[in-house]
Amino acid sequence: MRVKSSATDATRIAVTDPREGVGLGTLQAALGVVAFSLTFPATAWGLEGIGPWSLVAVRSVLAAVIADCCLCAVGASRDRGRVRWRLPLPDRRHLPGLAVVGAGVVLGFPLLTTLALQTSTTAHAAVVVGLLPLTTALLSALRMGTRPSRTFWAAALAGAAAVLVFTVQQSGGSLTAADGYLFAALLVCAAGYTEGGRLARVMPGWQVIGWALVLCLPLTVPAAALALSYEPVRLTAHGVAGLLWVAAGSQFLGLVVWYRGMAAIGIPKASQLQLAQPLVTLVWSVLLLGEHLTAAAPLTAAAVLVCIAVTQRSRS
């Protein structure tokens, strides 16, 4: 009787798990979007007390320390007084993917967006980076052979068009050097998201970003030491808070739940949740930085939310 009951329970779990996994995956991806929405305001705060190169290098080192502590806490165990490592290291075949994650998410995107925010407002940067979902979906289709439906692509393009119109309106119809940094950031970040989402199917999402951060330490530690020796440091409450958030929240915790969400619901659908990120960032920009929004923001918000609803209901 017990064996039969266990088999029945196992069957029931197998049947109900996919739906629960999709719901949980959507929640995790949404939490990642909330974490990322604070990145630009936090970066602006961080730049009040530290230079751009120092900010990027130090945030990566701090995030790597957090990731290393998590890896050690899970991987190390005591057996008869001896410490043994039981967490498997990444396979060689996963190292190229982790390198792409490191180059795109750990190094490229933070550096390019930080350089852009020296001359651009967070509101303007947020709407430009609003094209990231479409860029990620395109790279995902090329890299992984996914074939989203026509409805999905129509809604995604409509959302991207709304973001573009809002961007041009915000910038007065002209593009700047900061926009060049931001468009380059889109490409490298989309590549990192795509590879990270692929790897999160074969290893836990937190390990994907954790190993990527640790593998970048040989570059980020010397870079942090060099940048700090050249750029002035002014410790302020905003500067410290901004640095801590982009290191712990944006660079590690946000990516942990983001990659888990992408593995559960798929890269194209997860990427479309990011259409809401620019608008959430605009709210943070007003609340934390005192920036002013234009009247177009509510209209763009409504259009983007409709696109998100359509992409989430479409079959990929």
Side-chain angles (χ1 to χ4, degrees):
M1 291 297 292
R2 291 182 179 177
V3 175
K4 184 177 180 180
S5 176
S6 299
T8 303
D9 291 342
T11 303
R12 186 180 298 113
I13 291 173
V15 171
T16 57
D17 268 356
R19 291 184 179 180
E20 294 177 358
V22 169
L24 180 59
T26 302
L27 175 61
Q28 290 171 332
L31 289 175
V33 170
V34 173
F36 299 152
S37 69
L38 275 164
T39 300
F40 287 170
T43 300
W45 273 9
L47 288 172
E48 293 180 11
I50 194 172
W53 295 90
S54 299
L55 179 61
V56 173
V58 172
R59 70 180 273 186
S60 298
V61 171
L62 291 177
V65 170
I66 298 172
D68 190 48
C69 291
C70 292
L71 290 170
C72 290
V74 173
S77 63
R78 287 188 173 275
D79 184 12
R80 298 179 181 179
R82 295 182 179 180
V83 177
R84 298 182 181 275
W85 186 262
R86 56 186 174 85
L87 184 67
L89 298 176
D91 292 337
R92 284 188 176 182
R93 58 194 176 96
H94 297 323
L95 292 180
L98 288 173
V100 173
V101 174
V105 177
V106 177
L107 300 175
F109 185 79
L111 176 60
L112 291 167
T113 53
T114 300
L115 292 175
L117 286 172
Q118 288 188 287
T119 56
S120 172
T121 65
T122 60
H124 180 78
V127 290
V128 173
V129 176
L131 294 175
L132 183 57
L134 181 59
T135 310
T136 303
L138 287 172
L139 288 185
S140 173
L142 294 174
R143 176 69 175 89
M144 304 178 66
T146 57
R147 294 293 182 268
S149 65
R150 293 182 179 179
T151 302
F152 176 95
W153 284 115
L157 288 171
V163 170
L164 274 175
V165 170
F166 186 74
T167 302
V168 172
Q169 191 273 336
Q170 286 281 103
S171 62
S174 61
L175 299 179
T176 64
D179 292 320
Y181 287 130
L182 293 171
F183 285 128
L186 286 176
L187 294 176
V188 297
C189 188
Y193 279 174
T194 300
E195 286 301 308
R198 184 182 66 83
L199 290 174
R201 295 180 175 181
V202 295
M203 68 174 70
W206 71 272
Q207 290 185 27
V208 173
I209 185 57
W211 287 120
L213 285 164
V214 171
L215 290 174
C216 287
L217 276 175
L219 294 175
T220 56
V221 170
L226 182 63
L228 288 172
S229 66
Y230 280 94
E231 294 180 333
V233 176
R234 232 174 7 121
L235 293 181
T236 63
H238 278 179
V240 173
L243 174 61
L244 292 178
W245 178 258
V246 293
S250 304
Q251 195 84 63
F252 183 66
L253 297 177
L255 286 167
V256 168
V257 293
W258 176 244
Y259 282 142
R260 288 177 65 90
M262 282 200 297
I265 66 177
I267 295 175
K269 282 195 172 184
S271 68
Q272 297 313 301
L273 290 175
Q274 277 199 307
L275 283 171
Q277 183 177 322
L279 304 163
V280 181
T281 299
L282 292 178
V283 175
W284 293 126
S285 299
V286 173
L287 295 177
L288 300 179
L289 303 176
E291 295 184 1
H292 298 285
L293 300 183
T294 65
L299 295 177
T300 308
V304 168
L305 290 176
V306 169
C307 294
I308 292 175
V310 173
T311 57
Q312 294 305 299
R313 289 181 178 275
S314 66
R315 295 178 62 185
S316 58

